[in-house]
Amino acid sequence: MPTHIRRIAALAVACAAAMPLASLAQNDTAKALADFVECKLSAEQVAQFNQKLDAEEFAGFAQSDDGGSAALMLWKSAQPVSAWGEKSAYINFPSRKEMHLAFKVPEGQEIKIGEALAARIGGMKPRPDLEAMKETYDWKGMDSRKPLGADKTVRVLVDVSYAPGWVTVGCGYGDAIQ
């Protein structure tokens, strides 16, 4: 067998062997993202998460332009993330201490779906200045929150004014959500 064919065959075998490892790494990434989004991390783990993000150690997780004109800072995971009873490959990452699962919904259904999600989580209340935002800025949407203790707050955010067709649910750590 010629040398170049042996090299190609060896490369194919190496790639096939590496595929399960890449898949495992992407599953680890999806799990880490879900834990962040579901408020399962400690302050120390949030700091470690950000160090890994800075070092680009999360396989299959990168910034994305898939949000189109939506005012969301979207990242995309190669493996879908399951959190708060929803599943999506998209993550809205507005700060180093706040991350939301972002999922597409039919335009015009955002608030209805967001309210159903907030009801399913239970105990959520609108942001204190929500009515003022609507009156002052003609903002359309919902922003419900539920403190979970230990400086963690779950949030359902629907911003019809700037991100139509999207619903987000996630967690803020520390003072990330005012």
Side-chain angles (χ1 to χ4, degrees):
M1 182 181 290
T3 304
H4 73 282
I5 292 179
R6 274 187 254 155
R7 286 184 183 154
I8 292 171
L11 180 61
V13 168
C15 287
M19 288 178 76
L21 294 176
S23 180
L24 287 175
Q26 290 172 355
N27 287 338
D28 289 346
T29 296
K31 170 82 169 90
L33 295 171
D35 286 350
F36 193 121
V37 169
E38 288 192 323
C39 300
K40 292 181 178 177
L41 303 182
S42 66
E44 180 179 296
Q45 290 170 317
V46 170
Q48 291 170 354
F49 180 96
N50 283 306
Q51 288 172 349
K52 287 178 79 172
L53 185 66
D54 289 343
E56 298 180 8
E57 293 179 16
F58 288 113
F61 185 56
Q63 288 183 318
S64 171
D65 293 331
D66 291 351
S69 62
L72 296 174
M73 296 174 65
L74 288 181
W75 288 60
K76 189 171 184 181
S77 173
Q79 295 291 323
V81 176
S82 294
W84 299 109
E86 301 297 334
K87 189 173 190 174
S88 176
Y90 294 102
I91 299 291
N92 178 32
F93 202 8
S95 81
R96 305 292 256 165
K97 292 184 178 182
E98 185 176 4
M99 181 184 288
H100 304 170
L101 186 71
F103 56 98
K104 286 291 284 172
V105 299
E107 288 192 33
Q109 297 295 307
E110 301 94 338
I111 293 177
K112 178 181 172 186
I113 292 169
E115 287 172 343
L117 176 57
R120 190 169 70 229
I121 292 169
M124 300 198 77
K125 305 247 185 278
R127 130 187 212 159
D129 63 345
L130 185 63
E131 289 307 314
M133 282 183 56
K134 289 179 178 183
E135 289 176 21
T136 305
Y137 303 108
D138 195 32
W139 184 77
K140 293 170 182 58
M142 66 172 281
D143 188 348
S144 296
R145 298 139 184 237
K146 177 182 178 181
L148 299 177
D151 286 333
K152 300 174 187 177
T153 302
V154 63
R155 181 182 194 188
V156 174
L157 177 63
V158 176
D159 187 344
V160 179
S161 294
Y162 298 101
W166 290 92
V167 172
T168 67
V169 59
C171 188
Y173 295 83
D175 60 357
I177 299 175
Q178 297 295 323

